[in-house]
């Protein structure tokens, strides 16, 4: 069977790897519009801040036997002939996987087509912003969602004075409530980022962003982080069912049973996730289906992580509370700390943890497993272990359960890291290669390094406490 994957970013490259791992004889071809090998898009803000190089973002090379074509954009899909037409040639397929991702939203405002205005979405975007920022003193970022906060932090990390402009009532309103958004704004202010909320942009003059209230914010460049929309043009032109994204069922099939969609472009049960963990769940489901399995995708429990220098945020579930839900919260704006839990039937349905909280991993685990929370809710809000002092149970890797998920993006548990070590992986790089830990959002790298350090100090053949 010939499987053709359109799009070779984080979702598409994972689909290729999953397919080849399941069936080494399967003919898999991937078409990537970008000339770069697949890279970790989540770490672009770290590159923007100058903390890493572009090479550090690269994802593992294509698996042996896969035919990967980079810099070959797709022009059209002919479903009747089962052919995909590119700028170079036609490719036949028996099964087609769309991993076309999403495209940045550029508001149709005056001046937004000028050369000093940049979208923040791709590696090439990031390179151009870095080049311009090297001679700049001030920047404006339009959009105070997750991507905008990351972009603002990255530019501030390069020493620029940054204004973050958001039309919503507070920053990151999809993940945070008002109190959390205000604490985040105060934290950013301490990092040299001035936030403007309830602010509507009207025009970029070339030297300033003019707002609807007449305010002008001077800057040398404007970075757009106004959100993204699923890239559905190819699917729509091919006659597939498209709503907000390409509509798929529990097998990730589109309205054509030979065509699948995964990642940012896919809409499952009315939801477009736009995050890496669901995209990789999609890739595994499709690979299983195309190699004879019957896996069904039922949706993902989403955890959003933002871990930039000076900003540590975890948000999960919905920030909204039902009438019968229990809501507990704690705020210490002076220290940049905020925590809020929404609990229903003694289980976490939504949570926000901003700032340093040693029990963030515990809260994520409780949410992930839909497990009951401790009777003393304060232990989760304040970072204290139930019935004791600061999270001693999470400080020693020996006390971490083998089933604990260390890398949520790839569902890598402590047991898998231990197994990789015992199989001969004696460095962090070896463990990453064996388990894929840290290759998603990267927020687990410190935990992985800690586990490897701990394993290097104990007998590799010794039993690990579970």
């Amino acid at each position: 069977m010939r499987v053709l994957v359109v799009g070779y970013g984080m979702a598409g490259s994972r689909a290729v790897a999953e397919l080849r791992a399941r069936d080494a004889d399967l003919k898999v071809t991937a078409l990537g519009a970008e000339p770069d090998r697949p890279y970790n898009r989540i770490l672009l803000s770290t590159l923007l801040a100058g903390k890493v190089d572009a090479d550090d973002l690269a994802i593992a090379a294509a698996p042996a036997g896969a035919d990967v074509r980079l810099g070959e954009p797709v022009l059209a899909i002919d479903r009747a002939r089962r052919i995909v037409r590119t700028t170079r040639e036609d490719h036949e397929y028996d099964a087609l996987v769309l991993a076309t991702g999403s495209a940045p939203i550029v508001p149709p405002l005056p001046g937004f087509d000028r050369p000093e205005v940049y979208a923040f979405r791709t590696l090439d975007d990031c390179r151009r912003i870095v080049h311009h920022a090297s001679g700049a003193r001030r920047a404006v970022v339009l959009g105070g969602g997750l991507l905008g906060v990351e972009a603002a932090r990255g530019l501030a990390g390069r020493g620029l004075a940054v204004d973050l402009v958001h039309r919503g009532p507070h920053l990151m309103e999809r993940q945070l409530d008002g109190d959390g958004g205000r604490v985040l704004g105060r934290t950013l202010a301490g990092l040299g980022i001035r936030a403007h909320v309830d602010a509507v942009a009207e025009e970029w003059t070339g030297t300033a962003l003019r707002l609807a209230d007449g305010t002008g914010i001077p800057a040398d460049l404007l970075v757009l982080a106004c959100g993204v929309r699923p890239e559905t043009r190819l699917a729509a032109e091919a006659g597939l069912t498209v709503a907000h994204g390409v509509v798929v069922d529990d097998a990730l099939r589109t309205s054509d049973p030979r065509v699948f969609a995964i990642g940012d472009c896919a809409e499952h049960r009315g939801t477009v996730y736009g995050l890496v963990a669901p995209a990789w769940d999609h890739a595994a489901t499709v690979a299983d289906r195309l190699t004879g399995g019957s896996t069904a995708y039922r949706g993902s429990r989403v955890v959003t992580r933002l871990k930039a220098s000076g900003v540590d945020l975890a948000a999960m579930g919905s920030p909204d509370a039902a009438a019968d839900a229990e809501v507990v919260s704690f705020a210490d704006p002076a220290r940049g700390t905020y925590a809020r839990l929404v609990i229903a039937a003694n289980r976490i349905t939504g949570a926000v943890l901003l700032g340093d909280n040693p029990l963030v991993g515990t809260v994520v685990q409780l949410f992930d497993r839909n497990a009951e929370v401790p009777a003393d809710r304060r232990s989760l809000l304040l970072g204290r272990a139930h019935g004791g002092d600061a999270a001693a149970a999470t400080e020693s890797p020996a006390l971490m359960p083998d089933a604990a998920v260390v890398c949520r993006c790839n569902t890598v548990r402590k047991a898998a890291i231990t197994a990789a070590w015992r199989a001969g992986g004696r460095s962090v790089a070896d463990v990453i290669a064996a388990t894929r830990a840290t290759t998603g959002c990267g927020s687990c790298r410190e935990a992985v390094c800690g586990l490897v350090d701990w394993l290097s100090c104990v007998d590799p053949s010794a039993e690990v406490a579970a």
Side-chain angles (χ1 to χ4, degrees):
M1 180 170 66
R2 297 164 300 180
V3 180
L4 185 62
V5 179
V6 174
Y8 199 60
M10 296 185 76
S13 61
R14 174 56 65 92
V16 171
E18 294 278 1
L19 285 163
R20 292 293 300 170
R22 285 168 169 76
D23 186 348
D25 296 324
L26 195 66
K27 179 176 174 55
V28 182
T29 301
L31 306 173
E34 294 185 62
D36 297 290
R37 60 182 284 191
Y39 55 88
N40 190 333
R41 198 180 301 275
I42 302 167
L43 297 181
L44 285 176
S45 60
T46 311
L47 176 64
L48 191 59
K51 303 291 187 181
V52 297
D53 296 323
D55 289 344
D56 296 322
L57 273 62
I59 296 174
D67 182 9
V68 175
R69 315 286 186 91
L70 299 177
E72 189 170 345
V74 171
L75 301 177
I77 300 168
D78 185 338
R79 293 195 293 121
R81 297 171 59 201
R82 297 207 296 274
I83 287 176
V84 167
R85 184 170 297 111
T86 76
T87 54
R88 300 177 188 171
E89 61 181 295
D90 290 350
H91 297 268
E92 298 179 337
Y93 68 84
D94 298 306
L96 176 64
V97 180
L98 300 179
T100 50
S102 55
I105 295 172
V106 179
L109 294 175
F112 276 37
D113 57 349
R114 295 176 63 99
E116 66 277 359
V117 179
Y118 303 94
F120 180 52
R121 182 63 182 166
T122 68
L123 181 56
D124 190 53
D125 291 336
C126 198
R127 290 184 179 122
R128 294 188 299 118
I129 294 170
V130 167
H131 177 73
H132 193 129
S134 64
R137 296 177 58 191
R138 299 187 62 89
V140 174
V141 176
L142 184 60
L146 177 65
L147 195 62
V149 171
E150 289 182 335
R153 185 65 193 97
L155 289 166
R158 286 190 172 268
L160 277 71
V162 180
D163 286 90
L164 179 60
V165 176
H166 188 54
R167 69 181 302 151
H170 59 83
L171 298 176
M172 292 185 65
E173 74 269 17
R174 290 185 61 182
Q175 292 86 16
L176 303 179
D177 62 359
D179 289 338
R182 284 184 285 275
V183 172
L184 176 59
R186 182 165 177 163
T187 298
L188 293 177
L191 299 171
I193 300 166
R194 184 172 60 167
H196 309 258
V197 296
D198 285 322
V200 179
E202 281 202 342
E203 180 185 10
W204 170 252
T205 68
T207 57
L209 180 68
R210 187 168 61 82
L211 305 182
D213 64 2
T215 301
I217 303 175
D220 303 303
L221 73 156
L222 171 64
V223 175
L224 303 179
C226 305
V228 296
R229 60 169 58 94
E231 185 55 76
T232 60
R233 180 189 61 83
L234 287 173
E237 291 178 354
L240 299 172
T241 300
V242 172
H244 185 51
V246 184
V247 177
V248 296
D249 62 13
D250 289 354
L252 283 308
R253 286 179 302 230
T254 67
S255 51
D256 180 338
R258 290 183 178 272
V259 183
F260 299 75
I262 64 174
D264 289 6
C265 71
E267 179 176 337
H268 175 261
R269 299 189 184 185
T271 299
V272 176
Y273 287 97
L275 294 170
V276 65
W280 285 347
D281 290 342
H282 293 173
T285 299
V286 166
D288 184 67
R289 285 282 180 159
L290 290 177
T291 54
S294 58
T295 297
Y297 177 71
R298 305 296 188 189
S300 299
R301 294 178 69 82
V302 175
V303 177
T304 300
R305 294 300 303 267
L306 171 59
K307 195 174 180 66
S309 178
V311 184
D312 194 348
L313 169 70
M316 60 212 80
S318 172
D320 300 323
D324 59 345
E326 174 188 356
V327 179
V328 289
S329 63
F330 169 78
D332 185 352
R335 298 181 62 187
T337 300
Y338 177 75
R340 181 176 187 265
L341 304 177
V342 180
I343 300 169
N346 212 35
R347 287 169 171 79
I348 296 172
T349 60
V352 174
L353 298 169
L354 176 61
D356 184 22
N357 187 320
L359 285 186
V360 61
T362 300
V363 174
V364 172
Q365 292 289 327
L366 290 170
F367 174 75
D368 242 357
R369 299 175 182 176
N370 197 29
E372 291 194 1
V373 298
D376 181 7
R377 311 323 197 200
R378 296 171 301 173
S379 65
L380 302 178
L381 289 177
L382 304 178
R384 294 201 313 266
H386 176 54
D389 296 326
T394 64
E395 291 177 354
S396 172
L399 298 176
M400 181 188 295
D402 277 353
V405 177
V406 178
C407 173
R408 190 180 184 281
C409 293
N410 291 287
T411 320
V412 180
R413 303 181 187 278
K414 177 195 171 185
I417 292 173
T418 303
W421 173 271
R422 290 176 174 169
R426 290 298 185 265
S427 68
V428 172
D430 291 340
V431 169
I432 291 172
T435 65
R436 294 176 176 163
T438 80
T439 60
C441 70
S443 64
C444 65
R445 186 173 182 87
E446 184 178 342
V448 173
C449 292
L451 279 167
V452 171
D453 288 344
W454 169 69
L455 286 165
S456 68
C457 295
V458 300
D459 182 353
S461 65
E463 288 297 322
V464 181

